[in-house]
Amino acid sequence: MSKSDQSEVNTLGFASTTMELQKNFKQVEEIMANFAKSYEHMDLDPFNLMKSSAEWYAALAKDPQKAINANISFMQKSMELYQQSLTNLLGGTVATEPVITEDKGDRRFKHEGWEEQPAFNAIKQSYLLVSKWLRDQVQGVEGLDEHTAEKVEFFTERYLDAMSPTNFAATNPAVIEKVIETKGANLVHGLKNMLEDLETGKGELRIRMTDTSAFKLGENVATTPGKVIFQNRLFQLIQYTPSTDKVLKRPLLVVPPWINKYYIMDLQPKNSLLKWLVDQGHTVFVVSWVNPDSSYADTEFADYLTDGILTAVDVVEQATGESEINIIGYCIGGSLLATTLAYMKEKGDERIKSATFFTTMLDFSNPGELGVFIDEEQICGLEKKMSESGYLDGTQMAGTFNLMRANDLIWSFYINNYLLGNDPRPFDLLYWNSDSTRMPAKMHTWYLRNLYLENNLCKPGGVTIDGVSIDISKVDIPICFVSAVEDHIAPWKSTYSGAKLFSGDVHFILGGSGHIAGIINPPAAGKYNYRVSDQLPEDPEAWAAGATVVDGSWWPEWDRWAKAQANDQVAARNPGDRGMPIIEDAPGSYVKRTLNDINPVVPAAATDVAIQAADAPPQAAANDVRPDDLTAIKGIGPKLAGILNNSGIVSYAQLVELGSDGIKQHLLDIDARHARYDTSSWPEQARALMA
């Protein structure tokens, strides 16, 4: 081929490439025009930042020297960067030491272009300099209250995250490389990904973190064998099939948070905490909370205690015949558990013999970064929003958690999905993270106000549940706390303060990593290390300095601690033993309810009646009295209903006739431990049910 022919081919090739680029960018233009319309009615200040920013600016104006110093430093460094960049550009390489570098853990600038190409190196350093200049002006401003200062600093960091040159196609070398390689098709595909996410989010941009179609509950996640043996309006209870011939005599009940779904502890067999516990010889039960809709608007925190944990304890006792139980609470499930333990202590209920708390805060005086979202104005805004729907949408809570780690959980996926035009890859942890749940309005308001805003839970008598004063300091059973050193949701020093509230022995374990990876850390992975000690000095730093450091997972450490409390063994227990009904296979139907399912499963009363029958058959035939479902009365669980049935109390009419005092005396005549039950409202509830 002659030079002229080759030149003509090159020209034609360039022309073709140019036309394809123009076509692709035209599509980009049209898609972006539609995208902009989605934000016409968006609340642009949901965190009330305008007021906080105004307060910061007023405080900064009173200390002009701080701004002057920041500006002088910025100008000096900028001139230095200008001279260095000019030298690098003329030489065509980056040949001098940088004026400023990113933090060691910053993964945004890993593409070689940021270091090797002078123009991109200058862009990166300019961004880092501007970031430092802005930080210098918002940090340590005198005259701001602590909460406003934290809020301004937090959202300044989020603004800087958003303005990173890595987030813009024209200033990201990896994106430009992809544009050249695909002739702009990556941007077209990326914006199509964005439109799909907007459609899924019904106008809100919900960036997909993973290929959700790659997972199905019960098939390749949440696969540990087990059965649902109980359900009520709030939860299903799963009992797992044993994998050993002998099991510990004490069964183990696990209470997850209702903010997320329980199967974070049962993703894959290789990293399933629940499977590992079964394999160690524990009879494991787990609460699977319902994903509520608007019909749960008036469900209270107290309901999660009485109709949740206490009912689950009743069922575990009935399913195993054991009145001594070990229990685990994870995150907010641990906050509920601590409240339940104090409630049971006041009631004289001693069935729970040891308790473990995973990444749980009880003292909320220092809630970490979550604290920036907690103040009167923001809570009022949430209450207004929840009053319209009856719940807090799970995506809003997920968005809050993602915002706390925006570069990892927002912008990395923004770049991958939209700028590079890649489809999200399958990842079980991110599938779980995207499987959000709702929070009932009344419960969530109570939780935010009493725990986060007013920090009442750690105060003796600070909260009251069904007339019972809650005092965690009276709980004296063996306690184990497991926290994570990099936890940004439940900072370990705050969990340490909560651990010191109990009056019994406390075993404190501090694992590596964060809120999830620090807990889901199987021994086979060989990751991280942990610190452990039974001595809890006042200063958490002193505890960390004096604690024993052990390589690897903390799981075996916890297992040794649990078995030290009681290691008697019995023959393995299977779901359905002792006449318990098998409702369905694990993972059950409640956990499968997504945000698109607006009506959660509400079981028929017959479910509870069947469970009563397993413990004690009603004597209705003998007494010729029509049996009623006593578990419809708040405060009567399946275990107690069975006891009442067996003693001849099978109807609402009988409860009305006995009256509150008569019911109380009837229960005391059966067992003095029944003094823990508050019967005051039962006759009135029974009368209402008869209507």
Side-chain angles (χ1 to χ4, degrees):
M1 182 181 293
S2 67
K3 288 186 178 181
S4 60
D5 291 339
Q6 181 65 54
S7 176
E8 185 177 350
V9 169
N10 290 341
T11 301
L12 289 172
F14 178 76
S16 174
T17 298
T18 301
M19 289 178 64
E20 191 166 350
L21 276 168
Q22 288 177 339
K23 178 183 175 183
N24 285 335
F25 282 122
K26 181 64 177 174
Q27 282 189 263
V28 168
E29 196 176 310
E30 293 172 356
I31 293 172
M32 286 304 293
N34 293 326
F35 170 66
K37 292 180 181 178
S38 300
Y39 287 85
E40 289 177 353
H41 306 291
M42 184 178 180
D43 180 5
L44 297 178
D45 192 16
F47 306 111
N48 200 26
L49 298 182
M50 289 185 66
K51 180 182 177 183
S52 299
S53 299
E55 291 177 8
W56 162 75
Y57 187 79
L60 187 66
K62 296 177 182 178
D63 184 17
Q65 192 60 47
K66 184 177 183 65
I68 291 170
N69 292 341
N71 288 336
I72 290 173
S73 175
F74 176 67
M75 290 174 64
Q76 290 173 338
K77 292 292 185 182
S78 294
M79 285 302 298
E80 188 179 341
L81 176 59
Y82 170 75
Q83 292 171 348
Q84 181 192 91
S85 299
L86 188 60
T87 301
N88 290 339
L89 285 166
L90 291 174
T93 59
V94 179
T96 55
E97 284 297 315
V99 174
I100 188 170
T101 59
E102 67 270 26
D103 292 337
K104 187 177 180 180
D106 192 340
R107 296 180 290 180
R108 292 175 294 176
F109 303 100
K110 61 184 180 180
H111 189 276
E112 61 273 10
W114 294 111
E115 293 298 325
E116 297 175 1
Q117 299 180 35
F120 289 114
N121 186 265
I123 290 171
K124 179 185 77 170
Q125 291 194 64
S126 296
Y127 165 74
L128 295 175
L129 277 180
V130 171
S131 299
K132 184 180 185 305
W133 168 75
L134 191 52
R135 286 192 191 101
D136 288 345
Q137 296 192 80
V138 300
Q139 292 176 351
V141 176
E142 294 183 4
L144 279 181
D145 67 87
E146 185 178 354
H147 177 69
T148 301
E150 289 176 350
K151 196 171 179 181
V152 169
E153 289 183 25
F154 178 85
F155 284 102
T156 296
E157 288 297 327
R158 303 295 79 79
Y159 170 77
L160 292 173
D161 291 343
M163 291 298 103
S164 171
T166 54
N167 299 335
F168 298 90
T171 54
N172 187 326
V175 176
I176 292 175
E177 192 176 89
K178 193 71 177 286
V179 168
I180 294 171
E181 177 189 330
T182 66
K183 302 180 180 64
N186 60 303
L187 295 180
V188 176
H189 188 70
L191 285 171
K192 288 179 179 176
N193 283 343
M194 182 182 287
L195 282 179
E196 288 180 16
D197 290 348
L198 279 169
E199 185 177 351
T200 301
K202 298 178 181 177
E204 293 183 18
L205 187 60
R206 298 177 185 172
I207 304 175
R208 283 173 294 160
M209 297 181 177
T210 185
D211 178 8
T212 56
S213 65
F215 299 99
K216 189 169 183 180
L217 289 172
E219 293 186 8
N220 54 2
V221 288
T223 59
T224 300
K227 305 290 184 183
V228 176
I229 62 166
F230 172 81
Q231 62 183 17
N232 64 12
R233 187 169 181 266
L234 277 180
F235 73 98
Q236 288 187 319
L237 190 69
I238 300 169
Q239 180 181 355
Y240 288 98
T241 304
S243 60
T244 56
D245 293 333
K246 295 285 187 179
V247 294
L248 292 170
K249 191 170 187 290
R250 283 187 189 174
L252 176 65
L253 173 62
V254 181
V255 182
W258 54 86
I259 288 176
N260 300 108
K261 296 183 178 180
Y262 85 86
Y263 68 90
I264 185 59
M265 295 179 283
D266 189 29
L267 289 173
Q268 306 278 346
K270 65 181 181 181
N271 61 0
S272 171
L273 174 58
L274 296 177
K275 179 181 184 303
W276 188 87
L277 290 170
V278 169
D279 290 343
Q280 308 316 302
H282 296 273
T283 303
V284 179
F285 297 81
V286 69
V287 170
S288 176
W289 298 109
V290 75
N291 197 350
D293 66 358
S294 57
S295 67
Y296 287 74
D298 292 327
T299 301
E300 301 184 42
F301 186 88
D303 296 323
Y304 277 77
L305 189 157
T306 55
D307 298 338
I309 292 186
L310 286 182
T311 297
V313 169
D314 287 343
V315 177
V316 171
E317 181 179 6
Q318 187 172 339
T320 62
E322 300 295 337
S323 60
E324 295 188 358
I325 297 169
N326 294 330
I327 195 166
I328 293 173
Y330 195 161
C331 189
I332 185 178
S335 303
L336 176 66
L337 171 57
T339 310
T340 306
L341 293 175
Y343 181 96
M344 296 175 77
K345 183 70 175 179
E346 289 295 324
K347 289 287 192 176
D349 188 340
E350 299 179 347
R351 287 176 292 173
I352 293 180
K353 295 301 181 182
S354 81
T356 298
F357 297 86
F358 293 165
T359 61
T360 296
M361 283 198 298
L362 304 177
D363 179 352
F364 289 77
S365 56
N366 293 296
E369 291 181 347
L370 270 178
V372 304
F373 301 98
I374 308 296
D375 54 45
E376 184 63 33
E377 291 170 329
Q378 291 188 78
I379 291 179
C380 284
L382 273 179
E383 288 173 339
K384 182 179 179 181
K385 184 173 291 187
M386 290 190 294
S387 68
E388 299 170 357
S389 60
Y391 55 79
L392 179 68
D393 192 284
T395 56
Q396 185 164 347
M397 182 66 73
T400 298
F401 291 142
N402 292 344
L403 195 61
M404 293 166 70
R405 289 295 178 268
N407 285 328
D408 291 335
L409 296 177
I410 297 176
W411 296 114
S412 65
F413 296 102
Y414 176 91
I415 294 166
N416 180 75
N417 299 3
Y418 303 157
L419 299 187
L420 295 175
N422 298 323
D423 290 325
R425 291 168 293 186
F427 187 14
D428 57 359
L429 176 59
L430 292 178
Y431 171 76
W432 167 84
N433 191 55
S434 302
D435 191 9
S436 300
T437 59
R438 309 177 189 90
M439 272 64 71
K442 196 168 186 178
M443 180 281 298
H444 197 60
T445 293
W446 189 97
Y447 174 74
L448 290 178
R449 288 192 174 279
N450 281 276
L451 276 62
Y452 275 98
L453 188 63
E454 300 173 10
N455 195 24
N456 289 330
L457 184 58
C458 66
K459 304 169 186 174
V463 299
T464 301
I465 302 293
D466 280 0
V468 176
S469 179
I470 300 301
D471 185 354
I472 294 174
S473 67
K474 292 183 179 180
V475 177
D476 56 2
I477 61 174
I479 298 291
C480 180
F481 260 75
V482 184
S483 299
V485 69
E486 297 174 8
D487 194 338
H488 58 284
I489 294 173
W492 81 266
K493 292 179 183 178
S494 295
T495 67
Y496 184 88
S497 297
K500 291 178 62 61
L501 295 173
F502 296 93
S503 57
D505 295 333
V506 178
H507 194 64
F508 197 89
I509 301 172
L510 179 61
S513 195
H515 195 71
I516 300 301
I519 298 300
I520 309 305
N521 180 27
K527 287 185 176 180
Y528 316 127
N529 60 27
Y530 65 90
R531 290 178 170 85
V532 60
S533 177
D534 293 333
Q535 304 302 315
L536 272 63
E538 195 64 31
D539 181 11
E541 291 289 358
W543 175 88
T548 302
V549 180
V550 184
D551 288 335
S553 170
W554 56 267
W555 291 9
E557 173 70 30
W558 176 86
D559 191 52
R560 287 188 291 271
W561 174 84
K563 289 174 178 174
Q565 312 308 314
N567 59 9
D568 294 342
Q569 293 187 329
V570 296
R573 311 176 179 102
N574 284 285
D577 287 352
R578 294 177 55 82
M580 298 299 292
I582 302 301
I583 298 173
E584 59 183 324
D585 290 337
S589 55
Y590 281 23
V591 75
K592 296 178 181 178
R593 307 299 294 189
T594 70
L595 294 183
N596 295 324
D597 301 318
I598 59 172
N599 295 309
V601 174
V602 179
T607 299
D608 292 336
V609 173
I611 294 173
Q612 296 169 27
D615 184 70
Q619 296 181 351
N623 297 329
D624 198 27
V625 178
R626 182 177 64 85
D628 291 316
D629 176 17
L630 301 187
T631 64
I633 294 174
K634 185 176 180 180
I636 300 181
K639 176 69 175 179
L640 183 58
I643 292 170
L644 287 168
N645 291 167
N646 198 41
S647 67
I649 306 299
V650 297
S651 72
Y652 301 143
Q654 289 174 291
L655 294 177
V656 172
E657 183 179 352
L658 279 172
S660 174
D661 292 340
I663 299 169
K664 172 71 79 172
Q665 189 57 54
H666 184 84
L667 288 171
L668 290 174
D669 290 343
I670 297 172
D671 191 328
R673 291 180 298 175
H674 292 157
R676 66 179 183 267
Y677 293 111
D678 180 3
T679 63
S680 58
S681 67
W682 293 3
E684 191 62 33
Q685 290 185 65
R687 185 176 286 106
L689 289 167
M690 291 171 62

